Amino acid sequence: MQSMTSLNKITDFRRPVAINLANRTATSACDDCAARHHGLCEALSDEEVGFLFRAAQRQTLPAGTVFIEEGEAAAYFYNVNSGNVRLFKSLPDGRRQITGFAGPGHFLGLAATEKNVFSAESMEPVRLCRFSRAALLSMFAEYPILERKLLDVAMHELVLGQQQMLLLGRKTAIERIASFLLSWAERQDVCSSGALPKPHSSLTLPLSRTDLADYLGLTIETVSRSLSTLKREGLIEIPNIHEVVLLRPQALSDIAEAAV
Amino acid sequence: MQSMTSLNKITDFRRPVAINLANRTATSACDDCAARHHGLCEALSDEEVGFLFRAAQRQTLPAGTVFIEEGEAAAYFYNVNSGNVRLFKSLPDGRRQITGFAGPGHFLGLAATEKNVFSAESMEPVRLCRFSRAALLSMFAEYPILERKLLDVAMHELVLGQQQMLLLGRKTAIERIASFLLSWAERQDVCSSGALPKPHSSLTLPLSRTDLADYLGLTIETVSRSLSTLKREGLIEIPNIHEVVLLRPQALSDIAEAAV
DNA sequence: GCGCCTCCATGACGCAGGTCAAACCGCCCT
DNA sequence: AGGGCGGTTTGACCTGCGTCATGGAGGCGC
């Protein structure tokens, strides 16, 4: 049991690292950051965060800004401080596949080679910390825990990616919508990982129907129709366009997982 | 230019590591391994490989053995020495999505939490090195380069995963087949990364039509029909069931990327 | 309040790809 | 050589979802 160490907990095996005296200005700036205790930064001490802070450039972007462009040289990594971001790939004729969303604390840029293999666009006003590749690489040498944490992050994204492949390759429209609602509930901490949300849990969807369609590999019409079906059958309520109430999570789960 | 260090080359920044005298028996066993100069092991010195060797259990499996089962406790990591393996997720009603293939040198188990989130099955007789989580974690402390290399591996898999999401979510049947053929050519080193294979390049497909269908989110009938269409139009030749000749890679690429 | 614009819902219809069925093709076994 | 068997191809048909079109609902400027 004890030996069954979670692989997503490899950060538990922290090596001792040299601690330098971070300047207080830096640290306290991070104190106010919504991402201070999420994602990458949560694994770091105040001193380490201070070091990271000094290596970062801060950016504030209005909604709808594409700040990572597929095919461009991949010069930077990003950490989201506030706001939500959509990640996507496009085909020349305009077809788009959203591969994921990044909110506060999420680290961007792991799926990259020399060129970015995806684009990123702010869905709302967004604040970011930006790191050059060189800066991040040099930080690895100083703070090995970063590397370890990034491996955790990458592993988690691999898990999500595989789930999404099953969804896109093999699930029906209704199953995709049900799966999405439950995974979004988990993301919003409405329920603990793996558990079902309580009946009548309410979700906020900062995404448009178009985003939803491009994420689930459907059209907006099919998304709309599937949501209507779930509503008609009493599994969800849609008080307004950006809100969904999960009336019967178990029934949603049965659909999402194609329970027999 | 020089500062544009590839992120997939972060292993270039090797920290000095303690080198212990590996016993020669171990090292020479690895010398014969097809995976010695691929994937994880390629990043390691003989001494490091020797250490890894002693931490590993070797397994030989016949074709069709499921050795990682979705939902089971994730106790081990694997490194493939020889043979090919399919990775997949299933729904209770039997629908299956193959999320990837692993050949010699590939490392398995990164997409895992406490439970495996995918299954793995040998497609042919396979030899593996198996590591318990605990063993791998303790190796991280001794050989940080492992962690770094695994981050590289994970990042590369994220890139592949995003490509596959675009394919599954937004491409037509023919586009999927064309994309697959080109990516398989790249995998088989028929062409360098990013470049097109030469006209008349020949590919070996160790996969059945069923595998192909489950990988591409199609049915075997559609896979078969799409291959026939490409053949009829003179883009490929199919001398036998496990071989495909790419007559006009550029035309395939135009289809795969939906060139306008 | 009014017009405009964007996003969403819903209905009618079409088609890419799924389903069902039959023929075909090695390949092994005797 | 013949027969059985699993995998593949091909054809005929069907359907889930995409496409196209229309109407509605909310937001925003003036």
Side-chain angles (χ1 to χ4, degrees):
Chain A
M1 275 296 118
Q2 204 46 9
S3 71
M4 192 55 53
T5 315
S6 155
L7 183 37
N8 271 20
K9 295 274 183 52
I10 55 183
T11 41
D12 292 349
F13 288 68
R14 301 190 185 190
R15 281 167 246 138
V17 292
I19 293 183
N20 68 345
L21 289 178
N23 77 46
R24 283 295 139 195
T25 316
T27 303
S28 55
C30 289
D31 281 348
D32 298 337
C33 177
R36 174 63 186 92
H37 299 291
H38 293 99
L40 196 63
C41 294
E42 113 185 282
L44 304 177
S45 68
D46 283 348
E47 285 78 7
E48 291 159 347
V49 159
F51 186 86
L52 207 56
F53 178 89
R54 288 191 299 281
Q57 300 163 281
R58 263 138 310 274
Q59 291 190 309
T60 304
L61 305 175
T65 312
V66 176
F67 61 96
I68 299 179
E69 190 109 37
E70 187 178 352
E72 300 286 299
Y76 301 102
F77 295 97
Y78 298 85
N79 204 50
V80 180
N81 295 343
S82 72
N84 279 291
V85 163
R86 59 181 150 247
L87 314 175
F88 60 95
K89 286 176 75 76
S90 301
L91 291 171
D93 61 6
R95 278 174 283 172
R96 185 177 74 153
Q97 178 65 42
I98 293 182
T99 56
F101 300 97
H106 284 214
F107 187 82
L108 295 184
L110 284 177
T113 53
E114 295 84 25
K115 308 260 184 201
N116 294 316
V117 299
F118 62 88
S119 303
E121 179 181 4
S122 54
M123 299 164 69
E124 28 188 12
V126 153
R127 285 188 301 117
L128 303 165
C129 276
R130 190 176 86 168
F131 307 91
S132 74
R133 283 165 166 264
L136 194 79
L137 293 173
S138 71
M139 278 188 287
F140 282 176
E142 194 93 17
Y143 298 109
I145 192 178
L146 277 178
E147 213 172 349
R148 192 157 283 202
K149 181 66 187 174
L150 284 181
L151 183 54
D152 278 357
V153 169
M155 286 170 51
H156 183 242
E157 283 187 23
L158 283 173
V159 171
L160 295 181
Q162 299 205 341
Q163 273 176 215
Q164 197 67 0
M165 285 186 231
L166 176 64
L167 181 151
L168 293 171
R170 289 300 182 212
K171 291 190 181 179
T172 66
I174 288 259
E175 289 166 357
R176 294 181 199 205
I177 296 288
S179 301
F180 167 78
L181 290 173
L182 292 173
S183 70
W184 200 260
E186 198 165 311
R187 180 193 165 97
Q188 290 208 341
D189 288 324
V190 169
C191 56
S192 57
S193 174
L196 282 180
K198 282 201 183 61
H200 289 82
S201 301
S202 180
L203 293 187
T204 308
L205 300 185
L207 354 133
S208 69
R209 296 289 183 261
T210 303
D211 283 337
L212 209 33
D214 284 348
Y215 182 51
L216 300 179
L218 300 169
T219 59
I220 53 172
E221 292 93 333
T222 301
V223 167
S224 189
R225 274 189 261 268
S226 302
L227 284 169
S228 297
T229 302
L230 290 177
K231 184 169 68 175
R232 198 174 332 112
E233 307 204 330
L235 305 206
I236 62 173
E237 238 165 37
I238 308 178
N240 68 69
I241 211 77
H242 288 299
E243 207 171 329
V244 174
V245 182
L246 309 184
L247 297 176
R248 300 173 50 204
Q250 180 62 57
L252 283 174
S253 170
D254 288 349
I255 293 175
E257 303 308 318
V260 278
Chain B
M1 275 297 116
Q2 203 49 6
S3 71
M4 193 54 55
T5 315
S6 154
L7 182 37
N8 271 18
K9 295 272 183 54
I10 53 183
T11 42
D12 292 349
F13 288 68
R14 301 193 184 188
R15 282 168 245 141
V17 292
I19 291 183
N20 68 347
L21 288 177
N23 78 48
R24 285 293 138 197
T25 315
T27 304
S28 55
C30 288
D31 281 347
D32 298 337
C33 178
R36 175 64 186 89
H37 299 290
H38 292 99
L40 196 62
C41 294
E42 115 186 279
L44 304 177
S45 69
D46 283 350
E47 284 78 8
E48 290 160 346
V49 159
F51 188 86
L52 209 56
F53 178 88
R54 287 191 299 283
Q57 299 163 281
R58 264 139 309 276
Q59 290 190 311
T60 304
L61 305 174
T65 312
V66 177
F67 61 96
I68 299 179
E69 189 110 36
E70 187 178 354
E72 299 286 298
Y76 300 102
F77 295 99
Y78 298 85
N79 204 50
V80 180
N81 295 344
S82 72
N84 279 291
V85 163
R86 62 183 148 244
L87 313 174
F88 60 96
K89 287 174 74 75
S90 303
L91 291 171
D93 61 7
R95 278 175 283 173
R96 185 178 75 154
Q97 178 65 42
I98 293 182
T99 57
F101 300 97
H106 284 216
F107 187 83
L108 295 184
L110 284 177
T113 52
E114 295 84 24
K115 308 260 182 201
N116 294 316
V117 299
F118 62 88
S119 302
E121 179 181 4
S122 54
M123 299 163 70
E124 26 188 13
V126 152
R127 284 187 300 118
L128 304 165
C129 276
R130 190 177 85 169
F131 308 91
S132 74
R133 285 167 165 261
L136 194 79
L137 293 172
S138 71
M139 279 189 285
F140 282 176
E142 194 93 17
Y143 298 108
I145 192 179
L146 277 177
E147 215 172 347
R148 192 157 284 200
K149 181 66 186 175
L150 284 182
L151 183 54
D152 278 357
V153 169
M155 286 170 52
H156 184 243
E157 283 187 24
L158 283 172
V159 171
L160 295 181
Q162 299 204 341
Q163 272 177 216
Q164 197 68 0
M165 284 186 231
L166 176 64
L167 181 150
L168 293 171
R170 288 301 182 213
K171 290 190 180 177
T172 65
I174 289 259
E175 289 166 358
R176 294 180 199 205
I177 295 288
S179 302
F180 168 78
L181 290 174
L182 292 172
S183 71
W184 199 260
E186 198 164 311
R187 180 194 164 96
Q188 290 208 342
D189 288 322
V190 169
C191 55
S192 58
S193 175
L196 282 180
K198 283 202 182 61
H200 290 83
S201 301
S202 180
L203 294 186
T204 309
L205 301 185
L207 352 138
S208 69
R209 296 292 183 259
T210 304
D211 283 337
L212 209 34
D214 284 348
Y215 183 52
L216 300 178
L218 301 169
T219 58
I220 52 172
E221 292 93 333
T222 301
V223 167
S224 188
R225 273 189 262 268
S226 302
L227 283 170
S228 297
T229 302
L230 290 176
K231 183 170 69 177
R232 197 175 332 114
E233 307 203 332
L235 305 205
I236 62 173
E237 238 165 37
I238 309 179
N240 68 68
I241 211 77
H242 289 300
E243 206 172 330
V244 174
V245 181
L246 309 184
L247 297 175
R248 301 174 51 204
Q250 181 61 58
L252 283 174
S253 171
D254 288 349
I255 294 175
E257 303 308 317
V260 279

mmCIF file of all heavy atoms in Angstrom, chain B residues 20-29 46-47 49-51 53-54:
data_model
loop_
_atom_site.group_PDB
_atom_site.id
_atom_site.type_symbol
_atom_site.label_atom_id
_atom_site.label_comp_id
_atom_site.label_asym_id
_atom_site.label_seq_id
_atom_site.Cartn_x
_atom_site.Cartn_y
_atom_site.Cartn_z
ATOM 1 N N ASN B 20 28.918 5.425 -10.840
ATOM 2 C CA ASN B 20 29.411 4.280 -10.082
ATOM 3 C C ASN B 20 29.840 3.190 -11.051
ATOM 4 O O ASN B 20 29.443 3.172 -12.208
ATOM 5 C CB ASN B 20 28.339 3.775 -9.107
ATOM 6 C CG ASN B 20 27.162 3.174 -9.853
ATOM 7 O OD1 ASN B 20 27.042 3.352 -11.071
ATOM 8 N ND2 ASN B 20 26.302 2.488 -9.127
ATOM 9 N N LEU B 21 30.670 2.323 -10.570
ATOM 10 C CA LEU B 21 31.180 1.295 -11.471
ATOM 11 C C LEU B 21 30.124 0.222 -11.658
ATOM 12 O O LEU B 21 29.829 -0.555 -10.760
ATOM 13 C CB LEU B 21 32.457 0.692 -10.892
ATOM 14 C CG LEU B 21 33.665 1.637 -10.959
ATOM 15 C CD1 LEU B 21 34.873 1.000 -10.301
ATOM 16 C CD2 LEU B 21 33.966 2.009 -12.404
ATOM 17 N N ALA B 22 29.518 0.214 -12.817
ATOM 18 C CA ALA B 22 28.494 -0.785 -13.083
ATOM 19 C C ALA B 22 29.167 -2.128 -13.327
ATOM 20 O O ALA B 22 30.276 -2.181 -13.830
ATOM 21 C CB ALA B 22 27.688 -0.395 -14.305
ATOM 22 N N ASN B 23 28.476 -3.190 -12.971
ATOM 23 C CA ASN B 23 29.091 -4.463 -13.289
ATOM 24 C C ASN B 23 28.932 -4.743 -14.777
ATOM 25 O O ASN B 23 27.967 -4.379 -15.408
ATOM 26 C CB ASN B 23 28.562 -5.591 -12.393
ATOM 27 C CG ASN B 23 27.196 -6.086 -12.819
ATOM 28 O OD1 ASN B 23 26.978 -6.359 -14.010
ATOM 29 N ND2 ASN B 23 26.297 -6.202 -11.877
ATOM 30 N N ARG B 24 29.893 -5.359 -15.303
ATOM 31 C CA ARG B 24 29.994 -5.516 -16.753
ATOM 32 C C ARG B 24 28.919 -6.432 -17.320
ATOM 33 O O ARG B 24 28.505 -6.305 -18.461
ATOM 34 C CB ARG B 24 31.384 -6.056 -17.118
ATOM 35 C CG ARG B 24 32.465 -5.010 -17.024
ATOM 36 C CD ARG B 24 32.269 -3.928 -18.082
ATOM 37 N NE ARG B 24 32.519 -2.615 -17.522
ATOM 38 C CZ ARG B 24 32.102 -1.490 -18.113
ATOM 39 N NH1 ARG B 24 31.431 -1.546 -19.227
ATOM 40 N NH2 ARG B 24 32.327 -0.321 -17.560
ATOM 41 N N THR B 25 28.510 -7.383 -16.503
ATOM 42 C CA THR B 25 27.481 -8.302 -16.968
ATOM 43 C C THR B 25 26.221 -7.544 -17.370
ATOM 44 O O THR B 25 25.677 -7.737 -18.450
ATOM 45 C CB THR B 25 27.107 -9.293 -15.846
ATOM 46 O OG1 THR B 25 28.302 -9.757 -15.245
ATOM 47 C CG2 THR B 25 26.320 -10.441 -16.411
ATOM 48 N N ALA B 26 25.815 -6.668 -16.480
ATOM 49 C CA ALA B 26 24.608 -5.901 -16.736
ATOM 50 C C ALA B 26 24.745 -5.088 -18.019
ATOM 51 O O ALA B 26 23.904 -5.159 -18.911
ATOM 52 C CB ALA B 26 24.325 -4.962 -15.570
ATOM 53 N N THR B 27 25.807 -4.341 -18.108
ATOM 54 C CA THR B 27 25.993 -3.474 -19.260
ATOM 55 C C THR B 27 25.989 -4.267 -20.555
ATOM 56 O O THR B 27 25.372 -3.872 -21.535
ATOM 57 C CB THR B 27 27.317 -2.713 -19.136
ATOM 58 O OG1 THR B 27 27.301 -2.013 -17.904
ATOM 59 C CG2 THR B 27 27.459 -1.719 -20.268
ATOM 60 N N SER B 28 26.678 -5.386 -20.541
ATOM 61 C CA SER B 28 26.782 -6.112 -21.804
ATOM 62 C C SER B 28 25.443 -6.742 -22.192
ATOM 63 O O SER B 28 25.145 -6.897 -23.368
ATOM 64 C CB SER B 28 27.887 -7.162 -21.733
ATOM 65 O OG SER B 28 27.666 -8.013 -20.638
ATOM 66 N N ALA B 29 24.609 -7.073 -21.204
ATOM 67 C CA ALA B 29 23.276 -7.551 -21.532
ATOM 68 C C ALA B 29 22.522 -6.466 -22.296
ATOM 69 O O ALA B 29 21.829 -6.740 -23.268
ATOM 70 C CB ALA B 29 22.511 -7.924 -20.264
ATOM 71 N N ASP B 46 26.885 3.900 -20.329
ATOM 72 C CA ASP B 46 26.912 2.472 -20.022
ATOM 73 C C ASP B 46 26.726 2.229 -18.525
ATOM 74 O O ASP B 46 26.012 1.317 -18.114
ATOM 75 C CB ASP B 46 28.245 1.864 -20.473
ATOM 76 C CG ASP B 46 28.281 1.650 -21.979
ATOM 77 O OD1 ASP B 46 27.209 1.792 -22.627
ATOM 78 O OD2 ASP B 46 29.358 1.346 -22.515
ATOM 79 N N GLU B 47 27.358 3.076 -17.735
ATOM 80 C CA GLU B 47 27.246 2.901 -16.282
ATOM 81 C C GLU B 47 25.807 3.111 -15.824
ATOM 82 O O GLU B 47 25.270 2.359 -15.022
ATOM 83 C CB GLU B 47 28.163 3.894 -15.553
ATOM 84 C CG GLU B 47 29.638 3.530 -15.589
ATOM 85 C CD GLU B 47 30.272 3.879 -16.936
ATOM 86 O OE1 GLU B 47 29.601 4.531 -17.760
ATOM 87 O OE2 GLU B 47 31.430 3.485 -17.158
ATOM 88 N N VAL B 49 23.093 2.859 -17.606
ATOM 89 C CA VAL B 49 22.264 1.768 -18.112
ATOM 90 C C VAL B 49 22.422 0.525 -17.242
ATOM 91 O O VAL B 49 21.452 -0.184 -16.974
ATOM 92 C CB VAL B 49 22.612 1.452 -19.578
ATOM 93 C CG1 VAL B 49 22.156 0.054 -19.958
ATOM 94 C CG2 VAL B 49 21.955 2.467 -20.493
ATOM 95 N N GLY B 50 23.644 0.320 -16.795
ATOM 96 C CA GLY B 50 23.886 -0.828 -15.931
ATOM 97 C C GLY B 50 23.079 -0.735 -14.648
ATOM 98 O O GLY B 50 22.482 -1.713 -14.194
ATOM 99 N N PHE B 51 23.026 0.458 -14.109
ATOM 100 C CA PHE B 51 22.248 0.686 -12.891
ATOM 101 C C PHE B 51 20.776 0.410 -13.149
ATOM 102 O O PHE B 51 20.104 -0.285 -12.384
ATOM 103 C CB PHE B 51 22.452 2.139 -12.439
ATOM 104 C CG PHE B 51 21.858 2.440 -11.103
ATOM 105 C CD1 PHE B 51 22.579 2.203 -9.936
ATOM 106 C CD2 PHE B 51 20.584 2.968 -10.997
ATOM 107 C CE1 PHE B 51 22.038 2.491 -8.699
ATOM 108 C CE2 PHE B 51 20.030 3.248 -9.761
ATOM 109 C CZ PHE B 51 20.753 3.013 -8.606
ATOM 110 N N PHE B 53 19.560 -1.408 -15.462
ATOM 111 C CA PHE B 53 19.414 -2.841 -15.738
ATOM 112 C C PHE B 53 19.176 -3.619 -14.452
ATOM 113 O O PHE B 53 18.308 -4.477 -14.378
ATOM 114 C CB PHE B 53 20.681 -3.352 -16.436
ATOM 115 C CG PHE B 53 20.654 -4.820 -16.719
ATOM 116 C CD1 PHE B 53 20.102 -5.295 -17.915
ATOM 117 C CD2 PHE B 53 21.171 -5.737 -15.808
ATOM 118 C CE1 PHE B 53 20.077 -6.656 -18.183
ATOM 119 C CE2 PHE B 53 21.146 -7.099 -16.083
ATOM 120 C CZ PHE B 53 20.605 -7.550 -17.264
ATOM 121 N N ARG B 54 19.961 -3.285 -13.444
ATOM 122 C CA ARG B 54 19.844 -4.043 -12.198
ATOM 123 C C ARG B 54 18.539 -3.743 -11.468
ATOM 124 O O ARG B 54 18.088 -4.524 -10.648
ATOM 125 C CB ARG B 54 21.046 -3.746 -11.296
ATOM 126 C CG ARG B 54 22.322 -4.414 -11.814
ATOM 127 C CD ARG B 54 23.443 -4.347 -10.795
ATOM 128 N NE ARG B 54 23.810 -2.982 -10.451
ATOM 129 C CZ ARG B 54 24.555 -2.185 -11.216
ATOM 130 N NH1 ARG B 54 25.005 -2.618 -12.372
ATOM 131 N NH2 ARG B 54 24.837 -0.966 -10.827
#
